[in-house]
Coordinates of all heavy atoms in Angstrom, one line a residue:
C416 N 10.1 -55.1 -7.2 CA 10.3 -55.3 -5.7 C 9.5 -54.2 -5.0 O 9.7 -53.0 -5.3 CB 11.8 -55.1 -5.4 SG 12.1 -55.1 -3.7
P417 N 8.7 -54.5 -4.0 CA 7.9 -53.5 -3.3 C 8.8 -52.6 -2.5 O 8.4 -51.5 -2.0 CB 7.0 -54.3 -2.5 CG 7.6 -55.7 -2.4 CD 8.4 -55.9 -3.6
V418 N 10.1 -53.0 -2.2 CA 10.9 -52.2 -1.3 C 11.8 -51.3 -2.1 O 11.8 -50.1 -1.9 CB 11.9 -53.2 -0.5 CG1 12.8 -52.3 0.4 CG2 11.0 -54.1 0.4
C419 N 12.5 -51.8 -3.2 CA 13.4 -50.9 -3.9 C 12.9 -50.6 -5.3 O 13.5 -49.7 -6.0 CB 14.8 -51.5 -3.9 SG 14.9 -52.9 -5.0
G420 N 11.9 -51.2 -5.8 CA 11.3 -50.9 -7.1 C 12.1 -51.6 -8.3 O 11.7 -51.4 -9.4
E421 N 13.1 -52.4 -8.0 CA 13.8 -53.0 -9.1 C 13.0 -54.2 -9.7 O 12.2 -54.8 -9.0 CB 15.1 -53.6 -8.5 CG 16.3 -52.7 -8.9 CD 17.6 -53.5 -8.7 OE1 18.2 -53.4 -7.6 OE2 18.1 -54.1 -9.7
L423 N 12.1 -57.6 -10.5 CA 12.5 -58.9 -9.9 C 12.7 -60.0 -11.0 O 13.2 -61.0 -10.7 CB 11.4 -59.3 -8.9 CG 11.3 -58.5 -7.7 CD1 10.0 -58.9 -6.9 CD2 12.5 -58.6 -6.8
R426 N 16.5 -59.1 -11.6 CA 17.4 -59.4 -10.5 C 16.6 -59.9 -9.3 O 16.1 -59.1 -8.5 CB 18.1 -58.1 -10.1 CG 19.4 -58.3 -9.2 CD 20.2 -57.1 -9.0 NE 19.6 -56.2 -8.0 CZ 19.7 -56.3 -6.7 NH1 20.3 -57.3 -6.2 NH2 19.1 -55.5 -5.9
H428 N 15.7 -61.0 -5.9 CA 16.3 -60.7 -4.6 C 15.3 -60.5 -3.5 O 14.1 -60.3 -3.8 CB 17.2 -59.5 -4.7 CG 16.4 -58.2 -5.0 ND1 16.0 -57.8 -6.2 CD2 16.0 -57.3 -4.1 CE1 15.3 -56.7 -6.1 NE2 15.3 -56.3 -4.8
Q429 N 15.8 -60.5 -2.3 CA 14.9 -60.3 -1.2 C 15.7 -59.3 -0.3 O 16.9 -59.3 -0.3 CB 14.6 -61.5 -0.4 CG 13.5 -62.4 -1.1 CD 13.2 -63.6 -0.2 OE1 14.1 -64.2 0.4 NE2 12.0 -64.0 -0.2
H430 N 14.9 -58.5 0.5 CA 15.6 -57.6 1.4 C 15.5 -58.2 2.8 O 14.5 -58.9 3.1 CB 14.9 -56.3 1.4 CG 15.0 -55.6 0.1 ND1 16.0 -54.7 -0.1 CD2 14.3 -55.7 -1.1 CE1 15.9 -54.2 -1.4 NE2 14.9 -54.8 -2.0
Ligands
LIG700 ZN1 14.4 -54.8 -3.8

Side-chain angles (χ1 to χ4, degrees):
C416 171
V418 179
C419 71
E421 257 196 272
L423 291 171
R426 199 172 76 81
H428 66 277
Q429 281 183 324
H430 293 268

